[in-house]
Amino acid sequence: MASPIADKPWAKLVKFVQNEPRRIIHSFKVGLALVLVSILHHFRPSFYGFGENIIWAVVTVVIVLELSVGATLGKGLNRMLATGLAAALGFGTHRLASLCGKNGKDVLISAFLFVIAVTVTYMRFSPRLKAKYDYGLLIFILTFCLVTLSEFTDGELLRTAHERLLTIIIGSLIAIAVCVCIYPIWIGEDLHNQIAGNIVKVADFLEGFGDEYFKNSENTEVVVVAHDKPFLRSYKRVLSSKSAEETKAVLARWEPCHGRFRFRHPWKQYLKIGNLTRLCAYKIEALSVYLLNSDQTPYELRSRVEDPCKNISLECGKALKESSLIVKKMAKSSAPNLYVRHAKNAAESLKSVLRANPWEGADPMEMVPAATVASLLIDIVICVENISEAVDELATLANFVPPRGIVQPITSSDDDDSAHVITVNE
Amino acid sequence: MASPIADKPWAKLVKFVQNEPRRIIHSFKVGLALVLVSILHHFRPSFYGFGENIIWAVVTVVIVLELSVGATLGKGLNRMLATGLAAALGFGTHRLASLCGKNGKDVLISAFLFVIAVTVTYMRFSPRLKAKYDYGLLIFILTFCLVTLSEFTDGELLRTAHERLLTIIIGSLIAIAVCVCIYPIWIGEDLHNQIAGNIVKVADFLEGFGDEYFKNSENTEVVVVAHDKPFLRSYKRVLSSKSAEETKAVLARWEPCHGRFRFRHPWKQYLKIGNLTRLCAYKIEALSVYLLNSDQTPYELRSRVEDPCKNISLECGKALKESSLIVKKMAKSSAPNLYVRHAKNAAESLKSVLRANPWEGADPMEMVPAATVASLLIDIVICVENISEAVDELATLANFVPPRGIVQPITSSDDDDSAHVITVNE
């Protein structure tokens, strides 16, 4: 199936770049930043009188430039601040120790070193500090050691410390500038998209579940193949997404206002939505066992709860897709509430179907799996409602506005992602 | 309730240390390592002729010394190896560029810098390299920059590079020695204990579930309070433990043979057990909803499946506890298989109870939650069997031996963690 164009080397290259543009662009950004700093190193701005210390700008660029703006800003600010503070404290210690004679000085410096290292290392374990300032605390210890152990006289030391701090600031600024100015990768936006994407993954399963479970097929093989459909498996990645989301939320807090995100965007609310989505995914994981073994219950028995169950899963799926659209487009909408209401109505009608004892006289062993599916689906409606409420809360906290137009959800059951007719008023 | 002894300052200190000994001891280890290296810095072993370069030993100690042996060894080896390789490559580049005249040299060095930075940064994204060598790749770029941008003559450069490499090796060795010799924290052991602990957390829930769900109480409040019991909530921490386990498994591979762990201990099998335990925890998460709402079904209806359900959850809990004991004590045992067999028998008897239509004539809405619980419990038996098989596989892979004595599992239902009578043959 290879088209002739794919055989040309440049086409291969284009395809390669298209596959993971972020990583390739980031790699080139690192290369560029290093060339920039090596040019600076070559010309050594003589008006500042940098000597060998300019090399610290190179070190800083290599270490500070990270994939995302949040990580780069966090590291850069940590490095600048920690270097400044530690240099000041170190200089004070060095000065104080100098007053105690040669031998006293060495003992005193070792003692200070010990106390500072123990205290700051212990501080690094504090969850609150670890999240935002871990790198800064490490650099604090490092700089404090370098300054106090230095054998310069006070005057030389002050000049060196001042020069190094300046080169570290220059290095950090180059790294930050390259990171922000060329194809910036905002980790906040990443988190935003991940949360919206996770909701869609759960929604995909729910939208597909009804049709798969209530398939009238005596052939088991077909059912197994059905479970291999990607939209019935993609929710699995949601199950273990917690730590990635938490890391992203911490880094996102470093990012300034960009695009549609303010500086103090409510990132914590994203974590709340993420947790609720995961709770729903756990339920789906339990549900998926019954999808795999749907042949335990003959279709004849399954079909007795088919309509309300299909409605629940379909409406839940739609509600989640609308919720994810609110997040994705940052546009307030009441569409999820409508589908949640539909789902709740479907749950009520499922309950009344159950009350009428649909499986009277059936083999209980064949009936129990279907009853479990019904029960889990009723449970999932609550999860979906919670998600939609949390998304509403996010819309309020982040001041999402309704889209400029009338949103008119379509209630037919065979529409997909683009379940909107938007009449723009302009 | 404060005892008089608790008011004394030293008692407070002891309590504080007892609460988190690891963190405090690690902090003191960092302080000690820095004092050691500052003494080295003070005496500057003149036979090696270290100049200012000794400061790199200080930098290395601060950066390499991590909480666990695995992390410290990984960082230390990465740092030493990457510095050596990058220095050699950088020296070659520097030499090659020197042949091209002053201007050609600068252009050539910038070009090399760019290519190396782009390539190595891109390599850092490879999941396989990222896991074990991320820090080494960073140090490789850093050292390569420092060496190629240096303005020393070839002879000076060789001497400086040699000195720095030696100080970095000294620094790494000091860090590794302090980490390994004083109260070492083995991350492999950590992973080992975490996996065993997670199995226990799931087992705790299962052992407690039967009694809680089948409580005959018309008083809803009591049921809610029951859900607040810690052993019914501790499994929640298992749900999101995946990334921590994976990190630990990567670091554990750096650790040499220690205690009962070989160098090539099958850490990957721990991850497999962890994943299976999480699958079981997802099911439990679905089950816990019905525990919270157990009043949906009157006790009269619940009691009709009480015996087999209680047996399943109890035997599953025991099987898991025995499996966790195999992991914890690294002693092969067939006890879990016995309990798994009991659990499977209980599942069969539950199925035959269900076949006899225990809820004939009952309100289906009251009956469905109880049927769901029964169905989920049958499902959990399979999860538990998988966990016990994976633990067996671990016992084989890691050559666990049976304990020296006869293990005689007690089958009475009211025993706890210590469900063993071990008759030592000596």
Side-chain angles (χ1 to χ4, degrees):
Chain A
M1 282 272 295
S3 69
I5 207 165
D7 292 320
K8 291 180 185 165
W10 63 262
K12 270 188 188 168
L13 189 72
V14 168
K15 208 178 160 197
F16 178 67
V17 174
Q18 274 171 344
N19 276 346
E20 33 190 357
R22 287 177 152 209
R23 295 173 177 191
I24 294 167
I25 290 172
H26 174 69
S27 305
F28 276 88
K29 277 159 78 175
V30 173
L32 178 72
L34 277 182
V35 170
L36 280 181
V37 83
S38 80
I39 291 171
L40 188 78
H41 175 261
H42 179 62
F43 287 110
R44 284 205 191 163
S46 50
F47 45 94
Y48 279 130
F50 291 123
E52 269 300 307
N53 284 321
I54 192 81
I55 209 68
W56 287 93
V58 182
V59 174
T60 304
V61 165
V62 174
I63 290 177
V64 166
L65 187 51
E66 293 262 347
L67 184 65
S68 67
V69 176
T72 307
L73 270 173
K75 262 195 162 176
L77 295 176
N78 261 309
R79 190 172 178 104
M80 291 191 273
L81 206 71
T83 308
L85 287 176
L89 187 66
F91 182 73
T93 310
H94 195 265
R95 198 103 204 232
L96 192 73
S98 302
L99 303 175
C100 305
K102 178 80 187 92
N103 281 337
K105 181 184 164 189
D106 290 334
V107 173
L108 215 65
I109 281 184
S110 289
F112 272 114
L113 218 56
F114 186 78
V115 171
I116 291 283
V118 172
T119 318
V120 179
T121 306
Y122 187 74
M123 281 165 71
R124 285 180 70 194
F125 287 112
S126 144
R128 193 178 269 259
L129 290 175
K130 192 174 185 65
K132 277 192 98 172
Y133 304 107
D134 189 54
Y135 182 67
L137 293 171
L138 182 71
I139 291 297
F140 186 91
I141 304 181
L142 196 63
T143 310
F144 185 79
C145 288
L146 291 184
V147 173
T148 47
L149 288 178
S150 148
E151 301 199 341
F152 291 133
T153 61
D154 282 355
E156 284 170 340
L157 185 61
L158 207 59
R159 203 176 48 77
T160 312
H162 174 241
E163 259 184 31
R164 287 211 187 152
L165 182 59
L166 217 61
T167 50
I168 282 174
I169 291 175
I170 291 173
S172 298
L173 292 183
I174 290 178
I176 291 171
V178 169
C179 188
V180 174
C181 299
I182 305 171
Y183 190 83
I185 293 167
W186 303 95
I187 199 134
E189 212 174 311
D190 240 36
L191 174 63
H192 179 90
N193 293 334
Q194 182 179 337
I195 294 291
N198 281 354
I199 299 178
V200 170
K201 286 191 185 107
V202 171
D204 278 340
F205 180 93
L206 288 174
E207 284 197 344
F209 177 78
D211 282 341
E212 291 300 326
Y213 184 72
F214 293 103
K215 215 174 233 171
N216 182 6
S217 111
E218 306 306 320
N219 185 349
T220 351
E221 268 180 281
V222 177
V223 176
V224 174
V225 172
H227 195 64
D228 273 346
K229 292 185 181 169
F231 64 89
L232 293 176
R233 272 184 296 119
S234 59
Y235 77 90
K236 281 190 188 279
R237 265 189 273 165
V238 181
L239 297 170
S240 55
S241 54
K242 189 181 175 74
S243 60
E245 283 171 13
E246 283 174 354
T247 312
K248 284 179 185 175
V250 166
L251 294 179
R253 284 194 286 162
W254 288 107
E255 293 183 345
C257 169
H258 62 281
R260 300 166 302 170
F261 300 93
R262 289 176 297 134
F263 173 54
R264 286 189 175 281
H265 198 71
W267 300 117
K268 274 197 180 160
Q269 185 66 18
Y270 284 89
L271 293 184
K272 189 176 165 191
I273 298 174
N275 285 337
L276 290 171
T277 311
R278 254 187 307 285
L279 269 184
C280 193
Y282 298 150
K283 301 278 155 67
I284 285 182
E285 175 70 24
L287 196 59
S288 72
V289 176
Y290 300 93
L291 184 58
L292 198 61
N293 303 321
S294 60
D295 54 312
Q296 284 178 341
T297 312
Y299 174 69
E300 212 276 300
L301 292 184
R302 272 181 278 148
S303 69
R304 297 187 197 169
V305 289
E306 176 164 354
D307 284 346
C309 282
K310 265 190 167 173
N311 274 342
I312 291 179
S313 74
L314 208 61
E315 298 293 335
C316 281
K318 281 190 204 162
L320 288 179
K321 286 226 166 143
E322 288 294 336
S323 290
S324 91
L325 274 183
I326 293 183
V327 176
K328 203 173 173 190
K329 297 195 193 283
M330 301 180 101
K332 212 166 187 161
S333 150
S334 58
N337 299 337
L338 180 72
Y339 293 118
V340 167
R341 222 160 34 236
H342 289 177
K344 282 168 121 176
N345 289 342
E348 283 310 318
S349 71
L350 174 59
K351 281 179 192 168
S352 50
V353 167
L354 290 177
R355 260 184 220 107
N357 215 346
W359 296 302
E360 185 127 46
D363 175 358
M365 271 313 289
E366 292 180 346
M367 169 275 259
V368 163
T372 308
V373 166
S375 178
L376 286 173
L377 279 175
I378 292 172
D379 219 43
I380 283 173
V381 175
I382 300 167
C383 288
V384 170
E385 191 180 8
N386 290 339
I387 295 174
S388 110
E389 275 169 13
V391 169
D392 264 355
E393 221 174 297
L394 173 70
T396 310
L397 286 171
N399 301 325
F400 291 174
V401 287
R404 284 177 299 171
I406 298 154
V407 180
Q408 189 185 324
I410 296 172
T411 43
S412 91
S413 63
D414 52 358
D415 46 15
D416 62 2
D417 212 357
S418 54
H420 268 140
V421 174
I422 298 182
T423 321
V424 178
N425 278 341
E426 291 174 301
Chain B
M1 281 273 296
S3 68
I5 207 165
D7 293 321
K8 290 180 186 166
W10 63 263
K12 270 188 188 170
L13 189 70
V14 167
K15 207 179 161 198
F16 178 66
V17 175
Q18 274 170 344
N19 276 346
E20 33 190 356
R22 289 178 150 209
R23 296 175 175 189
I24 292 166
I25 289 171
H26 173 69
S27 305
F28 276 88
K29 277 159 79 174
V30 173
L32 178 71
L34 276 181
V35 169
L36 281 181
V37 83
S38 80
I39 290 170
L40 189 77
H41 175 262
H42 179 61
F43 288 111
R44 284 205 192 164
S46 51
F47 44 94
Y48 279 129
F50 292 124
E52 269 301 307
N53 284 321
I54 192 82
I55 209 70
W56 287 93
V58 181
V59 174
T60 304
V61 165
V62 174
I63 290 177
V64 166
L65 188 49
E66 293 262 347
L67 183 66
S68 68
V69 176
T72 307
L73 271 173
K75 263 195 162 176
L77 295 176
N78 261 309
R79 189 169 179 105
M80 290 190 273
L81 206 71
T83 307
L85 287 177
L89 187 67
F91 183 71
T93 309
H94 195 265
R95 206 110 197 222
L96 192 73
S98 302
L99 303 175
C100 303
K102 179 80 187 94
N103 281 336
K105 181 184 164 189
D106 290 335
V107 173
L108 215 65
I109 281 185
S110 289
F112 272 114
L113 217 58
F114 186 78
V115 172
I116 291 284
V118 172
T119 318
V120 179
T121 306
Y122 187 73
M123 282 164 72
R124 285 179 72 194
F125 287 113
S126 144
R128 193 178 270 257
L129 291 174
K130 194 176 183 65
K132 275 193 100 172
Y133 304 108
D134 190 55
Y135 182 66
L137 293 172
L138 182 72
I139 291 296
F140 187 91
I141 304 182
L142 196 63
T143 311
F144 185 79
C145 288
L146 291 184
V147 174
T148 47
L149 287 178
S150 147
E151 301 199 342
F152 290 135
T153 62
D154 282 356
E156 283 171 341
L157 186 60
L158 206 59
R159 203 176 49 77
T160 312
H162 174 241
E163 259 184 30
R164 285 209 189 154
L165 182 59
L166 217 61
T167 49
I168 283 174
I169 292 175
I170 292 174
S172 298
L173 292 183
I174 291 179
I176 292 171
V178 169
C179 187
V180 174
C181 299
I182 305 170
Y183 190 84
I185 293 167
W186 303 95
I187 198 135
E189 213 174 309
D190 238 38
L191 174 63
H192 179 90
N193 292 335
Q194 183 178 338
I195 294 291
N198 281 352
I199 299 178
V200 170
K201 286 190 185 109
V202 171
D204 278 341
F205 180 93
L206 288 174
E207 285 196 344
F209 177 79
D211 282 341
E212 289 300 326
Y213 185 72
F214 294 102
K215 215 174 232 171
N216 182 6
S217 109
E218 305 309 316
N219 185 349
T220 351
E221 266 180 285
V222 176
V223 177
V224 174
V225 172
H227 194 65
D228 273 345
K229 292 184 180 168
F231 64 90
L232 294 177
R233 273 185 294 119
S234 59
Y235 77 91
K236 281 191 188 280
R237 265 189 272 165
V238 181
L239 296 171
S240 53
S241 54
K242 189 181 175 76
S243 60
E245 284 172 12
E246 283 174 353
T247 312
K248 284 180 185 175
V250 166
L251 294 178
R253 284 195 286 162
W254 288 107
E255 293 182 346
C257 169
H258 61 280
R260 301 165 301 169
F261 300 93
R262 290 176 297 134
F263 173 53
R264 286 188 177 282
H265 199 72
W267 300 117
K268 274 196 181 161
Q269 186 65 19
Y270 284 90
L271 293 184
K272 191 177 164 190
I273 298 173
N275 286 335
L276 291 171
T277 312
R278 254 186 307 285
L279 270 184
C280 194
Y282 298 150
K283 302 278 156 67
I284 285 181
E285 175 69 26
L287 196 60
S288 72
V289 175
Y290 299 94
L291 184 59
L292 198 62
N293 303 320
S294 59
D295 54 313
Q296 284 178 341
T297 311
Y299 175 70
E300 212 276 299
L301 292 184
R302 272 180 278 148
S303 69
R304 298 187 196 168
V305 289
E306 176 164 354
D307 284 345
C309 282
K310 264 188 167 174
N311 275 342
I312 291 181
S313 73
L314 207 61
E315 298 292 335
C316 280
K318 280 189 204 162
L320 289 179
K321 288 225 164 141
E322 288 294 336
S323 290
S324 91
L325 274 183
I326 293 183
V327 176
K328 202 172 174 190
K329 298 194 192 287
M330 297 179 104
K332 213 166 187 162
S333 150
S334 58
N337 299 337
L338 180 72
Y339 292 117
V340 167
R341 224 163 29 241
H342 289 176
K344 281 167 119 176
N345 290 342
E348 283 309 317
S349 71
L350 174 58
K351 281 179 192 167
S352 50
V353 167
L354 289 177
R355 261 185 219 105
N357 214 344
W359 296 303
E360 185 126 44
D363 176 357
M365 272 314 290
E366 291 179 347
M367 167 275 260
V368 163
T372 306
V373 167
S375 179
L376 287 172
L377 280 175
I378 292 172
D379 218 43
I380 283 173
V381 174
I382 301 167
C383 289
V384 170
E385 191 180 8
N386 290 339
I387 295 174
S388 110
E389 275 168 14
V391 169
D392 263 355
E393 224 174 294
L394 174 70
T396 310
L397 286 171
N399 301 324
F400 291 174
V401 287
R404 285 177 299 172
I406 297 155
V407 180
Q408 189 187 322
I410 295 172
T411 43
S412 90
S413 63
D414 52 359
D415 46 15
D416 62 1
D417 211 359
S418 55
H420 269 140
V421 174
I422 297 181
T423 323
V424 178
N425 279 339
E426 292 175 302

